[in-house]
Amino acid sequence: MYPVDLKYSKDHEWIRVEGNRGTVGITFYAQESLGDVVYVDLPQVGDEVAAGESFGTVESVKSVSDLYAPVSGKVVEVNQEVIDHPDLINKDPYGDGWLIVVEMSDPGELDDLMDSKAYEEMVKES
Amino acid sequence: MRYIPNTPAERQKMLADIGVGSVEELFADIPEQVRLKRELDLPEALSEPELVRHMENLAGKNGDTGRYTCFLGGGYYDHYIPAVVPALLARSEFYTAYTPYQAEISQGTLAAIYEFQTMICELTGMDVANASMYDGATALAEAAAVATGVTGRRRVVVARTVHPEYRQVLNTYLEPRGVELVKLPFADGITVTDNLDRYIDRQTAAVLVQQPNFFGCLEDVHSLEQAARGAGALFIVSADPISLGLLKPPGEYGADIVVGEGQSLGLPLSFGGPGFGYFAAREKFLRRIPGRMVGATTDVHGRRGFVLTLQAREQHIRREKATSNICSNQALCALAATIYLSAMGPAGLRQVAGLCAQKAAYAKKRLAGVKGITVAFTAPSFKEFVLKSEYPVTRVQEVLLRRGLVAGPDLGRFYPELSNHLLVAVTEKRTKEEIDRLAEALEEVAG
Amino acid sequence: MIKSPWNEKLIFELGAPGRQAFSLPASDVPEMNLDWPENMCREKPPGLPEVSEPELVRHFTALSRLNHGVDTDFYPLGSCTMKYNPKVDEALASLPGFAGIHPYLPEELAQGALQLVYEMESYLAEIGGMDRVTMQPAAGAHGELTGILLIRAYHRQQGENRTKILVPDSAHGTNPATAAMAGYQVVSVPSDRRGGVDVAALEKLLDDQVAGLMLTNPNTLGLFDENIHIIADLVHQAGGLLYYDGANANAILGYSRPGDMGFDVVHFNLHKTFATPHGGGGPGSGPVGVKKELVPFLPVPLVDYDGKRYYFNYDLPRSIGRMRSFYGNFGVVVKAYAYIRSMGPDGLKQVSRDAVLNANYLMAHLKKYFYLPYDRLCKHEFVLSGKWQKERYGVKTLDMAKRLLDHGFHPPTIYFPLIVEEAMMIEPTETESKETLDRFIASMVEIAREVEEDPEKVKGAPYTTYLGRLDEATAARKPDLRWRA
């Protein structure tokens, strides 16, 4: 449920790092707590995001949550498919349900994130 | 007590189950210092016959449309209400229900709202409509707020020919958000469209107009739309729904949001409320629309059904980040409009609009012939027009009252430059004979 | 599947081209040339239904039968006060002298209406312990916005530009949404272990930027905040004002008045406390009362009396302006006025007595079967939690609510307040008989037993409504908001 090759934030986002780019999505736990995701509001390619700050929102039928960037940087890709089919977030949170790709401005921020074990612990305690 | 079933014996049994000795003990948590230590100072209870007598007495002091022939306008109108409308509204499954949150037992309200939304889209030429707002004024203010959110701009341009009370509400709603209101001047009853770029620019979030406007005149909406479009501002139109039986739907001349007061669609005057505001917009603003919306879906058996949808926009979920704090809609009033529009159909609505326009045009011509009275504006008009009188409006109104007629309002109270100007509204209910009586009364003023 | 009382056709799917349900006279004036520009005229008629009157009546009658109303059966929807709506009040509001009067009538032709509004103002002022009341707000949330704008105007008059409004974490969503709409930053105040405002936390949050605190008392847990006078003193000492959300006033009529608790502004929900029908979501009415310091800021116009005649007073130079067109939902005010006159002071007090008695009776019987997070005497409503059923059997509150539909009841308010897990907020009101309460208890107990014995059955409910559970996710993902041919 929490792949070991990803890093996790306390706000329930994950990031998959390749070079100076990171693909960002929400975790299995986050999508499960939300229930059926019905809408995502994502930034545009070229927008800047800052670690710990909101870069969009995700809505289920009866809730809305901010999406918090795990790292700072520039948005270089946005998942158009997930905007059209938000249920991908429920079906495949770590695959087709990815949200954005960020070109990291400070890869050092990755050190503040959790590995899968630490994240799983945190989720269990909550 | 007729609305409270509990008897003293039952209360004793219930108290015993709760484990307290008296009802007063249930109120023990109210601290002494905040208790009311006397009885409420209110009139003693009335029996039902006494109540009816008292209320009939109050009602009898008012000049209703059965006693005074109504040429009053200014946003609320004396249109004919088909008998089916009140008859169906009296179904208590409609009026004693709450908001349809439990969809399985609220399909009546939900399906009717879905029909209502469809009808509003059809009338206005827009893509989507909500389940209704409080009134035309607040619908306009909410539309302006949407525009500031969409554009990120802080200036809203509003024609002075928009209902003065609507403009007051706009001001109340927008001032705390730091939005500036800019007024467009009028001449000969319509908004001046020369030099619009003096008022409308890249800081403008929206241009707000009313069609037909407060004076009943038809605005040059095409020029206004172009100016809004050119500046990247939203074009917001407040429209009398009855007029849309004959007038071009605002969606066809570029409106981004269309709002208006729905009282004309089958609702009584009721001293100005309840009516409802309608709110329709282009699809791209869907998630910015305030208020409730109903959508079609299917149930577990695959049957068509309806639910409140896109609720994540609303206050009960988004709380301080919601588009608006509005929680309710004017559901029963919107239902009245749905029944009214179903009864009228496309032909009936066209005929009502046509009768209003014809009779108003006749009245305008007839009254223009009265000594001391002129028709103030030459612009084409729908069901209202403005008379200028050589005499004070109060004197004119006195004479009308004596003859069982009412017209107005007196425009001097809203526009200082229009003292001695009177608005006259003519709906399909007015007859030639009544219009002629109005003319005769005005002739009496001239003496 | 249950057979529907409805043929499942929308009004657009009925009728035939050329059918009509209207009859209008021919024009009796000479044919006039309107000289409207061509580009302002409608080319294509709107796609409205074409039906005859009998079809129209059957359609809407069938739709009405799909609804559950207070007249159908018990409606214990917490925080909504779904009490019985007296028939005479409906009839009275329809009198021509009320329903048939134009808002711009000369005042001398509206003396009865103005007298009614003037007297209603005095009744609400007395009930709320306030000095003046405006009838303009069209609903509770509209009243909240009015009240917060009044608070803002008051502070500005004092030369202060305060930026924050405090709202308890148990508050209704309209409270924070209202404060934000009035330009304020919203700060949440936690609840204490007894379900009231956490006074220590409140003290820490109070500073010279706090414009006011929005509160309902009893609160959304149905509990009277025993510290209300302390809370009021603290807020006032910090220079803030107190706003009373009148949603729960049905519990305290004649017992305690917001004004005596220290509140400066209050809104009433005439459609809750004063028995006007909810109409499927409106129209309501949300009059706002204020203490004298705030009177100068009330919306225009007020209704005044000079000893001979009633009149609209527009001379309020410091007013916040207008909240809506005309004077409010007058038709609703008429019904609430009639209700107050029917009940009198003793009757209104009896309302609160029986509302509170009925709630405590239900709570006493149900707390054995459902977790009761705040186990103390309640006021007009109480909040149960479905957490036992969820933890032990995987059955959610939503499932139990849907199962109640099979018992013929409207479910309680669920998942609110947010501070109670799997919340069920139950408000019986005073207009329900003991037999109805006992039937409801029996159904709830039956459902609790069924959760243990056959949880899957509960999860699949409802079974007896003609529609089963609806797919809300698809409705939100692919919005279908209007009918198309």
Side-chain angles (χ1 to χ4, degrees), chain C residues 164-183:
Chain C
K164 293 189 280 194
I165 290 282
L166 305 184
V167 174
D169 56 5
S170 60
H172 194 266
T174 50
N175 290 176
T178 298
M181 215 172 157

Side-chain angles (χ1 to χ4, degrees), chain B residues 153-412:
Chain B
R153 301 177 184 179
R154 319 300 299 163
R155 197 178 293 159
V156 166
V157 174
V158 56
R160 281 191 77 214
T161 55
V162 168
H163 195 308
E165 295 193 8
Y166 288 28
R167 287 186 282 117
Q168 288 179 308
V169 174
L170 264 177
N171 192 53
T172 311
Y173 267 60
L174 296 182
E175 189 267 335
R177 303 178 187 211
V179 177
E180 183 196 352
L181 279 181
V182 176
K183 288 186 262 185
L184 289 178
F186 66 86
D188 193 22
I190 60 169
T191 302
V192 179
T193 51
D194 313 331
N195 303 321
L196 281 176
D197 52 359
R198 275 182 54 198
Y199 304 93
I200 301 167
D201 59 25
R202 307 299 300 183
Q203 310 297 312
T204 307
V207 177
L208 276 49
V209 301
Q210 182 177 325
Q211 177 79 331
N213 68 24
F214 186 65
F215 307 130
C217 298
L218 301 186
E219 293 281 359
D220 176 3
V221 283
H222 301 284
S223 300
L224 290 158
E225 189 270 340
Q226 274 171 17
R229 188 77 39 221
L234 268 61
F235 185 50
I236 298 174
V237 178
S238 173
D240 170 6
I242 295 286
S243 75
L244 296 175
L246 283 179
L247 288 175
K248 197 181 269 299
E252 287 180 20
Y253 53 80
D256 294 292
I257 302 177
V258 185
V259 296
E261 171 59 53
Q263 177 270 334
S264 288
L265 305 174
L267 286 153
L269 292 162
S270 278
F271 209 38
F276 68 91
Y278 71 80
F279 191 111
R282 297 203 179 278
E283 179 112 46
K284 64 179 170 183
F285 304 121
L286 177 59
R287 283 171 194 276
R288 302 252 183 194
I289 295 178
R292 291 178 180 149
M293 278 187 269
V294 169
T297 186
T298 50
D299 80 344
V300 288
H301 312 298
R303 276 179 168 171
R304 178 171 61 181
F306 303 90
V307 292
L308 289 172
T309 194
L310 302 172
Q311 293 187 66
R313 296 167 296 112
E314 292 181 72
Q315 48 73 29
H316 60 286
I317 293 175
R318 206 170 276 251
R319 295 176 81 86
E320 64 267 27
K321 289 181 184 154
T323 317
S324 165
N325 75 336
I326 192 166
C327 176
S328 57
N329 62 334
Q330 299 278 109
L332 198 72
C333 303
L335 175 66
T338 310
I339 298 166
Y340 177 84
L341 289 169
S342 301
M344 303 313 284
L349 189 69
R350 188 181 170 81
Q351 199 179 333
V352 168
L355 285 170
C356 292
Q358 284 292 321
K359 291 178 186 228
Y362 170 74
K364 197 163 147 179
K365 194 174 163 206
R366 177 76 179 79
L367 301 178
V370 175
K371 185 171 159 258
I373 297 287
T374 45
V375 171
F377 308 125
T378 61
S381 57
F382 174 53
K383 69 183 179 193
E384 283 164 290
F385 56 90
V386 176
L387 290 182
K388 186 179 179 200
S389 154
E390 277 180 20
Y391 322 99
V393 169
T394 43
R395 189 172 136 205
V396 175
Q397 282 179 324
E398 267 168 39
V399 175
L400 298 187
L401 280 194
R402 244 187 291 131
R403 293 181 169 236
L405 303 161
V406 279
D410 173 357
L411 292 181

Side-chain angles (χ1 to χ4, degrees), chain B residues 34 41 76 122 135 297 329 358, chain C residues 32 47 102 126 256 281 325 471:
Chain B
V34 303
D41 182 15
Y76 256 50
E122 283 293 329
D135 73 341
T297 186
N329 62 334
Q358 284 292 321
Chain C
M32 304 299 295
H102 193 282
E126 166 66 6
S256 182
S325 54
D471 181 354

Side-chain angles (χ1 to χ4, degrees), chain B residues 3-6 11 14 17 24 26-27 29 31 33-34 36 38 40-41 43 45-46 51 54 58-59 61-65 73 76 84 91-98 102-109 114-115 117-118 122-123 134-135 138 163 165 168 172-173 175 177 219 222 244 246-248 269-274 294-301 303-304 309 315 319-320 325 328-332 342-345 348 351 358-359 381 401 413 432, chain C residues 1-2 8 11 13 21-22 28 32 36 39-40 42-43 47 49 53 56 59-60 63-64 66-71 75 77 80 82 85-87 96-102 104-105 109-110 112-113 115 126 141-142 149 152 171 173-174 177-178 180-181 226 229 251 255-257 277-283 314 320 322-326 329-331 337 341-342 345 350 354 358 361 365 379 402 405 430-431 466-471 475-476 480-483:
Chain B
Y3 311 136
I4 301 180
N6 286 341
R11 289 188 186 113
M14 292 164 78
D17 285 10
E24 287 311 310
L26 299 174
F27 289 85
D29 51 356
Q33 54 267 67
V34 303
L36 182 65
R38 57 171 176 82
L40 285 171
D41 182 15
L46 297 174
L51 175 72
H54 172 69
L58 283 178
K61 295 180 187 172
N62 300 323
D64 60 75
T65 54
Y76 256 50
V84 285
R91 293 286 304 190
S92 71
E93 299 93 329
F94 283 131
Y95 79 77
T96 72
Y98 188 69
Q102 294 292 337
E104 295 89 339
I105 50 168
S106 311
Q107 286 298 303
T109 297
Y114 183 80
E115 293 175 341
Q117 290 172 180
T118 306
E122 283 293 329
L123 282 182
Y134 305 135
D135 73 341
T138 56
H163 195 308
E165 295 193 8
Q168 288 179 308
T172 311
Y173 267 60
E175 189 267 335
R177 303 178 187 211
E219 293 281 359
H222 301 284
L244 296 175
L246 283 179
L247 288 175
K248 197 181 269 299
L269 292 162
S270 278
F271 209 38
V294 169
T297 186
T298 50
D299 80 344
V300 288
H301 312 298
R303 276 179 168 171
R304 178 171 61 181
T309 194
Q315 48 73 29
R319 295 176 81 86
E320 64 267 27
N325 75 336
S328 57
N329 62 334
Q330 299 278 109
L332 198 72
S342 301
M344 303 313 284
Q351 199 179 333
Q358 284 292 321
K359 291 178 186 228
S381 57
L401 280 194
R413 60 189 270 203
K432 177 171 179 297
Chain C
M1 280 201 282
I2 309 292
E8 301 197 40
I11 190 83
E13 296 157 346
F22 67 94
D28 58 353
M32 304 299 295
W36 290 358
N39 67 0
M40 289 190 190
R42 181 161 206 137
E43 288 153 29
E53 187 170 319
L56 173 67
H59 173 72
F60 286 101
L63 287 189
S64 77
L66 308 179
N67 265 8
H68 182 104
V70 171
D71 286 2
Y75 216 126
L77 197 64
C80 301
M82 296 300 288
N85 314 122
K87 299 302 160 198
F98 295 131
I101 54 173
H102 193 282
Y104 288 138
L105 274 178
L109 290 191
Q115 183 184 338
E126 166 66 6
H142 203 214
L149 291 176
R152 180 174 177 273
T174 50
T178 298
M181 215 172 157
E226 298 143 326
H229 47 297
Y255 277 94
S256 182
R257 309 188 305 169
H278 283 71
Y314 288 90
I320 57 168
R322 238 181 204 290
M323 290 306 297
R324 55 156 288 167
S325 54
F326 312 119
N329 280 343
F330 174 77
Y337 173 95
R341 296 301 304 259
S342 295
Q350 195 61 45
D354 281 300
N358 286 356
Y361 178 70
H365 281 277
K379 291 272 86 51
K402 295 300 182 196
L405 303 180
E430 74 284 1
T431 61
Y466 100 92
L467 282 186
R469 283 197 210 183
L470 290 131
D471 181 354
D480 168 0
L481 305 170
R482 55 156 300 177
W483 182 84

Side-chain angles (χ1 to χ4, degrees), chain A residues 93-104:
Chain A
Y94 303 111
D96 293 342
W98 66 276
L99 301 173
I100 55 170
V101 177
V102 178
E103 198 173 81
M104 290 180 282

Side-chain angles (χ1 to χ4, degrees), chain C residues 86-157:
Chain C
K87 299 302 160 198
V88 68
D89 301 349
E90 296 299 307
L92 293 171
S94 302
L95 289 172
F98 295 131
I101 54 173
H102 193 282
Y104 288 138
L105 274 178
E107 283 166 4
E108 56 264 45
L109 290 191
Q111 286 297 300
L114 292 170
Q115 183 184 338
L116 184 145
V117 170
Y118 185 82
E119 289 179 359
M120 184 65 167
E121 176 177 343
S122 73
Y123 304 160
L124 292 177
E126 166 66 6
I127 290 166
M130 293 286 143
D131 291 307
R132 289 221 65 168
V133 181
T134 170
M135 302 296 156
Q136 217 171 90
H142 203 214
E144 288 179 34
L145 181 61
T146 308
I148 296 302
L149 291 176
L150 291 168
I151 288 175
R152 180 174 177 273
Y154 170 83
H155 287 304
R156 298 205 147 208
Q157 178 71 27

